[in-house]
Amino acid sequence: MVKVRFAPSPTGPFSLGNARTALFNWLFARHEGGQFLLRIEDTDKERSQKKFEKEIINSLIWLGLNWHGSIVYQSQRLEIYKRYLGKLLKEGWAYYCNCSLEMLEAERQAQLSQGLAPKYSGRCRNLNNTSGVIRFKMPAKIISFHDLIRGNIKFDTSLLGDIVIAKSLEEPLYNFAVVVDDWEMGITQVIRGEDHISNTPKQLILQEVLNIKPPKYAHLPLILTPDRKKLSSRFLQKSFGDYKKDGYLAEAMLNFLVLLGWHPVQDREILSLEEMIAEFDLGRVQKAGAVFNQTKLDWLNAYYLRHLEINKLLERLKPFVSSRWLKKKNLLKKVIEIEKERLKSLKDFAQLSQFFFKIKDYPASLLIWENTPSQKIRSNLETVANFIKSKARGELLKPEFEKEIFLLAQKEGRGEILWPLRVALSGKKSSPGPLEIIKTLGKTESLKRINLALKKLKNS
Ligand code: GLU
């Protein structure tokens, strides 16, 4: 059975790249009817933090990427690594090294000055030390493997030197712990970022001496900035949780992430989760870097916002609006209905809709359309106000009312009627159409706002 894992280190903010790796693993497992496991790689005690771990878990939950079984914590598996380390030491594949940092640095500098790629000289290899860091006796050979995305890859291990695999028996390092865990957890495919490609030969050679069957490997393309640079630290530093805070929908993020390096047949852009599961295939993952496109993300978010059913959208908007608005549920729903089409993010909503709940002060001059005299604007607004007054509340919702206003606008000039009306109702230069606002605010509030505008004009 297919078993994949997502194995983040809680040593920094959960990034977009992390989320993409998680999604590709999850989709692969779903598509194959296999399992998706979550392993927290927290052996680095100094750099691992609970808050980052929480971020990982919350982000996966938010995206709906559920994992199988309980979370595997490397920090709870030290006995297992110790057993494997013991075996390597006993069999002579590993040894203790107590070279000082100064010595190692001097060695490095000497190699660099001779134009050589730095690697450990192997000084402690045959000294039978009983303490220090644990190094792996790297055999010199050509390692080759078939990457499911990138094809055949060859690597000369003699370039690596004797790498450190643990700081002590209780402190395994990444390349070693990963080998043990992927094996013990029965991982069949390792799907991870391209930045790990250089670790793969190290892991393969460790598997070889430990007599472990290697999983298959698939390295996902890097995520690039629009100018095709490696995703800059500004992007990487933006924690994935900030997309949620900025008002992006999980479904838009999923759709955006899946297209970062993969595309379905016919290059469709909008994909439901079901479609992604049905169609996801590592064979369609590209080798070239995947460009991060903010415009596309915003477009996708607007698309999913537009297509969300009103009550669901209301639920999602809750954290973004004030509790006062939530109490006026009927008004809120009407406003959502109107603003939905224009919404780019959940966060936008409060700003766009503020005026429905409370009109902000605005200057009388805003009511003036082009060069129309203020007197004319006043009489136009008065006409509209009288017209509204003459109608029963229900009539304001009917298409006839709309038609009559437009007839009036034809007679007096569109700008001359509709502009001041819009400003009177919204206090803003741009807003939904004035008739939609009247329908939403109702007769009393609309008249109140028009009267306020008339007062402003009179006093100006
Ligand atoms: N802990 C590693 C990371 O966060 C994962 C490496 C792997 O998937 O093998 O980059």
Side-chain angles (χ1 to χ4, degrees):
M1 193 220 282
V2 159
K3 254 192 191 182
V4 294
R5 71 347 183 242
F6 174 51
S9 310
T11 50
F14 188 71
S15 70
L16 192 85
N18 290 144
R20 197 258 322 243
T21 301
L23 175 63
F24 280 29
N25 273 285
W26 186 88
L27 287 174
F28 181 76
R30 276 297 158 100
H31 181 86
E32 299 291 334
Q35 290 176 354
F36 168 78
L37 310 180
L38 175 59
R39 179 171 79 221
I40 303 284
E41 305 214 315
D42 57 350
T43 46
D44 187 336
K45 278 183 247 150
E46 278 102 66
R47 292 176 56 226
S48 294
Q49 290 188 37
K50 271 283 162 210
K51 71 166 186 197
F52 294 135
E53 184 188 315
K54 274 200 195 122
E55 236 183 87
I56 295 168
I57 293 172
N58 289 341
S59 300
L60 293 179
I61 293 175
W62 181 58
L63 290 172
L65 304 181
N66 49 332
W67 56 91
H68 179 86
S70 31
I71 303 176
V72 174
Y73 288 90
Q74 285 193 327
S75 58
Q76 291 170 8
R77 296 164 66 81
L78 299 181
E79 283 307 313
I80 303 177
Y81 310 124
K82 203 168 164 179
R83 211 171 68 224
Y84 281 83
L85 281 170
K87 184 166 154 28
L88 286 178
L89 284 164
K90 200 164 130 227
E91 291 175 1
W93 279 112
Y95 61 91
Y96 285 104
C97 160
N98 49 26
C99 292
S100 68
L101 286 180
E102 292 74 25
M103 258 158 82
L104 293 171
E105 185 52 26
E107 195 173 284
R108 220 176 83 87
Q109 290 306 333
Q111 287 167 338
L112 283 174
S113 67
Q114 288 171 48
L116 299 170
K119 67 175 186 186
Y120 178 58
S121 65
R123 186 175 324 121
C124 292
R125 236 186 195 217
N126 302 309
L127 294 185
N128 294 322
N129 294 330
T130 50
S131 66
V133 300
I134 302 175
R135 285 189 186 271
F136 177 59
K137 249 186 220 172
M138 185 68 72
K141 62 186 290 182
I142 304 293
I143 283 273
S144 65
F145 69 99
H146 182 80
D147 188 284
L148 296 174
I149 294 165
R150 318 191 66 79
N152 290 334
I153 294 177
K154 264 194 196 154
F155 199 89
D156 181 356
T157 62
S158 65
L159 298 170
L160 297 171
D162 293 350
I163 57 169
V164 180
I165 54 172
K167 288 194 208 159
S168 71
L169 275 179
E170 281 75 32
E171 293 172 284
L173 291 178
Y174 164 70
N175 279 300
F176 174 73
V178 155
V179 162
V180 173
D181 286 336
D182 286 343
W183 171 246
E184 291 270 332
M185 291 165 69
I187 299 304
T188 52
Q189 280 85 1
V190 166
I191 304 169
R192 60 186 174 192
E194 196 187 289
D195 46 328
H196 283 294
I197 246 183
S198 59
N199 287 321
T200 310
K202 299 176 192 167
Q203 295 171 15
L204 284 164
I205 197 120
L206 280 164
Q207 285 153 355
E208 200 173 295
V209 307
L210 285 167
N211 215 0
I212 280 174
K213 182 170 174 274
K216 297 207 166 67
Y217 289 93
H219 289 93
L220 306 175
L222 293 175
I223 302 177
L224 306 175
T225 55
D227 54 1
R228 300 207 155 257
K229 297 219 175 77
K230 207 174 147 173
L231 199 59
S232 67
S233 61
R234 182 168 65 87
F235 279 101
L236 288 177
Q237 287 315 313
K238 174 162 176 155
S239 96
F240 190 74
D242 287 345
Y243 287 99
K244 184 181 176 194
K245 281 191 209 126
D246 288 345
Y248 289 94
L249 296 174
E251 38 279 68
M253 287 316 293
L254 287 167
N255 198 149
F256 180 69
L257 289 169
V258 81
L259 298 175
L260 281 175
W262 177 83
H263 60 99
V265 267
Q266 292 160 346
D267 269 348
R268 280 139 50 229
E269 301 262 67
I270 302 283
L271 291 134
S272 68
L273 204 53
E274 289 69 34
E275 288 171 316
M276 292 180 208
I277 294 170
E279 296 177 45
F280 188 78
D281 169 10
L282 286 177
R284 296 191 71 85
V285 175
Q286 71 200 42
K287 283 188 214 159
V291 177
F292 176 92
N293 181 341
Q294 182 69 46
T295 317
K296 187 160 168 183
L297 173 57
D298 290 336
W299 176 78
L300 283 168
N301 205 39
Y303 173 89
Y304 283 99
L305 285 163
R306 255 194 333 274
H307 287 83
L308 216 54
E309 194 267 321
I310 285 290
N311 287 307
K312 287 196 181 136
L313 186 48
L314 173 67
E315 272 314 300
R316 309 283 187 102
L317 281 167
K318 277 185 178 167
F320 294 88
V321 299
S322 87
S323 54
R324 272 186 301 112
W325 295 17
L326 291 173
K327 284 191 196 118
K328 299 181 179 167
K329 204 159 163 193
N330 283 339
L331 175 60
L332 184 56
K333 269 194 181 175
K334 283 192 220 160
V335 174
I336 295 175
E337 194 85 65
I338 293 181
E339 295 288 9
K340 204 169 134 170
E341 295 296 316
R342 299 148 44 93
L343 224 48
K344 290 206 185 65
S345 77
L346 294 168
K347 204 176 170 184
D348 271 1
F349 181 78
Q351 231 236 319
L352 279 176
S353 314
Q354 162 81 57
F355 74 89
F356 280 106
F357 298 87
K358 194 168 188 244
I359 191 160
K360 277 204 184 131
D361 195 26
Y362 59 91
S365 59
L366 197 61
L367 290 157
I368 308 295
W369 169 251
E370 292 183 342
N371 297 322
T372 316
S374 142
Q375 193 48 44
K376 175 77 183 138
I377 296 282
R378 249 175 87 182
S379 73
N380 282 351
L381 274 180
E382 264 159 16
T383 312
V384 178
N386 289 330
F387 186 59
I388 295 176
K389 254 183 246 163
S390 73
K391 300 279 169 194
R393 259 192 282 156
E395 284 178 296
L396 297 181
L397 303 173
K398 298 216 171 110
E400 288 76 39
F401 170 70
E402 212 161 299
K403 261 189 228 143
E404 285 168 278
I405 292 272
F406 279 113
L407 278 179
L408 187 67
Q410 250 168 23
K411 195 166 128 234
E412 303 293 339
R414 272 181 80 83
E416 285 82 347
I417 291 281
L418 298 179
W419 176 268
L421 183 57
R422 171 212 292 288
V423 174
L425 293 165
S426 68
K428 303 204 309 182
K429 270 191 244 175
S430 80
S431 71
L435 292 164
E436 278 188 287
I437 307 179
I438 294 176
K439 283 187 216 162
T440 309
L441 292 178
K443 185 171 172 178
T444 318
E445 179 65 20
S446 300
L447 281 173
K448 208 167 116 193
R449 291 187 183 192
I450 297 174
N451 285 333
L452 178 84
L454 286 169
K455 218 180 274 164
K456 273 184 192 281
L457 288 171
K458 207 163 155 192
N459 298 338
S460 69

